[in-house]
Amino acid sequence: MMDADAALVAAAAKNQPELLRFLASCGCPAASVAASAGEARRLLDQREYPLLVIAAPLPDEFGRELALYAVNATGSGVLLITASLHAAEIAAHLEPAGVAVVPSPASRQTVTQALHLLRASRQRMLSLREENRRLARRLSEMKLITRAKCALIQYSGFTEEEAHHTLERRAMDRRIPFAQAAQEVLAAYEEGAAERDGF
């Protein structure tokens, strides 16, 4: 199981040892290390990392493109570390997309705070993602129930209230969720068995 705080670290090979020691001292161990943006993308496609730390520039690109790829294609929090000279300009471009930019050399306190903020933002994003999934499931169930009621009204001459009670009774009698009862009613109509089954 991956450490909840573990990161994918993308940095040129010569910078990796010092950067990994520094990140570990900030409470951010590395789960994987990539020596290029291309390698980092391959690793991100294989599994999800809580954090992606990019030490710019990388051998095959600066790192901006990788940062934007990660925030758009994954659930990783992204921290880009770059020379102080360019940090403000890069931050103006990347921070609106959700990338944290820290100028180098950076203090342990600055990086630790940035990592804490990224973790908190990621947790919020994961919570929102789960809530969206829950709402999508609920909407799908409501559509299914509405379709089943419409079928009962159209083909069996029920009122909306009678259709609702029919689904409710079927769910209670069979001890199944309301949406599953609706699915069974729809399946019966699709198979032409609604009349035979007494709907």
Side-chain angles (χ1 to χ4, degrees):
M1 184 174 168
M2 192 181 353
D3 186 319
D5 292 330
L8 169 59
V9 177
K14 65 179 181 179
N15 299 329
Q16 289 177 8
E18 183 180 353
L19 179 60
L20 293 175
R21 282 193 298 272
F22 177 70
L23 290 172
S25 74
C26 296
C28 181
S32 301
V33 181
S36 68
E39 185 181 353
R41 283 188 182 85
R42 285 191 294 276
L43 290 169
L44 288 168
D45 289 342
Q46 292 169 11
R47 66 192 285 190
E48 185 159 313
Y49 294 87
L51 295 165
L52 167 63
V53 179
I54 303 167
L58 297 170
D60 53 345
E61 67 176 62
F62 184 80
R64 281 182 291 244
E65 300 84 353
L66 174 60
L68 291 171
Y69 171 81
V71 295
N72 289 317
T74 77
S76 301
V78 182
L79 172 65
L80 186 138
I81 303 172
T82 186
S84 299
L85 183 64
H86 309 293
E89 178 189 344
I90 293 167
H93 178 63
L94 293 181
E95 285 179 351
V99 178
V101 178
V102 172
S104 177
S107 71
R108 183 176 292 110
Q109 181 180 4
T110 300
V111 171
T112 300
Q113 287 174 343
L115 292 170
H116 282 309
L117 287 171
L118 284 171
R119 289 177 185 124
S121 296
R122 182 174 186 271
Q123 282 306 119
R124 176 67 176 148
M125 183 269 297
L126 292 176
S127 295
L128 290 171
R129 184 187 289 177
E130 182 52 39
E131 178 66 7
N132 284 341
R133 277 196 287 259
R134 189 188 69 75
L135 291 171
R137 281 193 303 270
R138 181 68 186 130
L139 182 60
S140 178
E141 289 174 358
M142 290 172 63
K143 286 180 179 178
L144 189 65
I145 291 164
T146 299
R147 284 178 53 218
K149 285 182 183 179
C150 288
L152 288 167
I153 291 166
Q154 182 176 355
Y155 298 111
S156 296
F158 291 176
T159 66
E160 195 278 335
E161 187 176 354
E162 289 170 337
H164 180 85
H165 287 315
T166 298
L167 294 175
E168 192 172 51
R169 188 172 61 249
R170 183 173 182 85
M172 287 192 307
D173 289 348
R174 293 172 53 79
R175 294 187 175 91
I176 59 175
F178 203 86
Q180 186 177 338
Q183 180 63 58
E184 290 181 359
V185 167
L186 281 172
Y189 276 108
E190 287 166 3
E191 294 168 9
E195 187 176 336
R196 184 177 66 246
D197 288 347
F199 295 129

